[in-house]
Every structure is written in C-alpha cells, then in structure tokens.
Amino acid sequence: MTEPGYPTATLAATPGESVSVETVNRQLRSLRLLFVATLLALLVFGAGVDFYLWYQVKMVRKELTATFSFLEDFQKNKEPLLNKLVAGLQVYSQSHADVKPLLDKYSIRPPAADAASSPASAPAAEPAKPAR
Amino acid sequence: MKQESLAAFLVGTLSVCAVAGIVLSSNYWFSTRTLRRLQPQALASQARLRLAQELLNDTLEYSKRNPAIDPLLQSLNIKTNAAAAPTAPKAVSP
C-alpha cells in the first residue's frame, strides 16, 4: 500500500514500481474513458427510449382526441335525433299498425308497453355517458 | 480536467433524460388508462349508430310504401320534400 502523501518518493524507489505507476495511470485513463463511453451509450439509449415514449404518447393522445370528439358528437347530435326518431315512430305506430314489424325488428316497444317508463326507448342498450 | 467536465455534462444530460422518461411514462400511462375507459363506450356508441342507420334505412324504405310517415322524417331533417323542390335548370352552353 502506497502512502497518498508521498507517492513518488516511495514508488520511485525501484524501477519496477515506477512502471506500475504508469500502468495504474494508464488504467485510470482507460477507466475514465470507459466511464465516459458508458455514459454516452446510456445517454443515447435514454434518448431513444424517450423518443419512443414521446411518439407513443402522441399516438395515444391522437386516438384519445378522436374518441372524445366521436362520443361528444354522438351524444350532442346523433343520440337526440335517434331518440326523436324512435319516439316519433312509437307515436306513429299507434295510428299505423303496419309499422309495428319494423319496431319489433329493432326491439322498440310501443309507447303503451312502457308508458310507465320513459316515452322514447332507444333501439339498443343505453351506452354509459363518458366521464371526463 | 476536460474529461471530468465532459463526464459531469453527460451525467447531467442523462439525469434530464431520465426525468423526461419518467414524465413521458406517466403521461402515457394516464392517457392509455383514459383511452381504455372510453373505448367500450365508443364501441357501444358505434354499434348503436349502426343500428340507428339500419332503422333509418328501413324507415326510408317504409316511407316509399307509406308516405304518411314523411312528416315525421321531414321534421327530423332526414327526408327533404323532394316533390316541392324544383329541379335546377340546365345551364345553356354557349
């Protein structure tokens, strides 16, 4: 073990030890180089992972926006129209019996059957409102 | 000395990279969770819309046989009064 305060004095005692100091220095330099190279490699890898994540987030957000706008459009514009059509058909079926097979095809009950409940029943099960 | 400052710079950049990775991962996780929650609703709405389109087609088909339903369809702007609308005159070629 060499003393840290007097490295040259003790290490320069024999020529063999002087060579070993050079070796240690060389090894230290190569270790530093290896450390920097590892850091660089990690940085490149991290940047790649970040880029991939950023791209994925971008794609998911795009899909999310499309789904949100579809649901909003459906609930604001299409669903009321559909309910009006169903209600109108139910009222119409009271005076025109020949439309009943059409209502039966879509499981739309005539208003007399579900008078106690809502006047317009949709042809399919009610989808849940999107909670935002 | 130069190598030490380079190493310090690389460590700093790597830390920033790691923080950005954490932020992006959490963002991705939350967005995916919201999307997974909305997708069944969107699928149900799409199925309902398809059914509504079929109902509408059948109703329009029915209206050909029984025009008494036309006022209902016209009130919903589904069917326009085609008979009332005159056809556009042909443009006279020079």
Side-chain angles (χ1 to χ4, degrees):
Chain A
M1 185 92 184
T2 56
E3 285 180 33
Y6 309 97
T8 46
T10 46
L11 289 173
T14 57
E17 281 186 359
S18 158
V19 169
S20 80
V21 170
E22 274 176 28
T23 312
V24 167
N25 277 339
R26 205 169 53 241
Q27 281 177 345
L28 188 67
R29 268 200 305 275
S30 75
L31 260 177
R32 270 185 180 158
L33 204 69
L34 187 69
F35 177 66
V36 169
T38 310
L39 276 178
L40 259 174
L42 267 174
L43 193 65
V44 169
F45 177 73
V49 168
D50 280 3
F51 177 75
Y52 172 75
L53 279 172
W54 169 77
Y55 186 74
Q56 288 297 314
V57 167
K58 198 177 114 175
M59 289 290 115
V60 168
R61 283 204 169 167
K62 204 173 161 185
E63 209 173 328
L64 201 60
T65 311
T67 311
F68 262 136
S69 54
F70 167 73
L71 281 172
E72 217 166 82
D73 176 57
F74 178 76
Q75 290 184 344
K76 276 187 184 165
N77 305 320
K78 295 193 171 82
E79 202 173 31
L81 196 70
L82 172 63
N83 288 339
K84 274 184 199 166
L85 175 66
V86 170
L89 281 172
Q90 282 176 327
V91 171
Y92 181 81
S93 71
Q94 287 175 327
S95 54
H96 297 78
D98 56 339
V99 84
K100 273 179 182 146
L102 186 67
L103 300 187
D104 290 339
K105 186 182 169 186
Y106 295 97
S107 311
I108 301 170
R109 284 166 291 172
D114 55 356
S117 60
S118 63
S121 68
E126 284 278 332
K129 303 270 180 199
R132 299 182 72 174
Chain B
M1 197 67 182
K2 193 180 171 186
Q3 237 179 14
E4 274 171 20
S5 59
L6 176 67
F9 169 74
L10 285 175
V11 167
T13 317
L14 196 63
S15 306
V16 171
C17 218
V19 170
I22 290 166
V23 170
L24 283 168
S25 302
S26 58
N27 212 325
Y28 176 70
W29 190 77
F30 282 114
S31 300
T32 314
R33 195 181 64 166
T34 314
L35 188 65
R36 234 182 293 133
R37 191 166 47 81
L38 283 180
Q39 256 168 353
Q41 289 176 33
L43 284 175
S45 298
Q46 272 173 350
R48 205 152 171 244
L49 207 58
R50 210 165 36 243
L51 210 63
Q53 190 61 52
E54 282 174 28
L55 172 67
L56 193 61
N57 289 342
D58 284 351
T59 312
L60 286 170
E61 197 63 38
Y62 171 83
S63 77
K64 285 178 189 168
R65 284 180 277 117
N66 197 341
I69 202 169
D70 281 358
L72 168 67
L73 298 177
Q74 281 160 11
S75 72
L76 298 171
N77 286 329
I78 292 167
K79 191 177 183 182
T80 51
N81 196 355
T87 52
K90 272 190 174 179
V92 180
S93 57

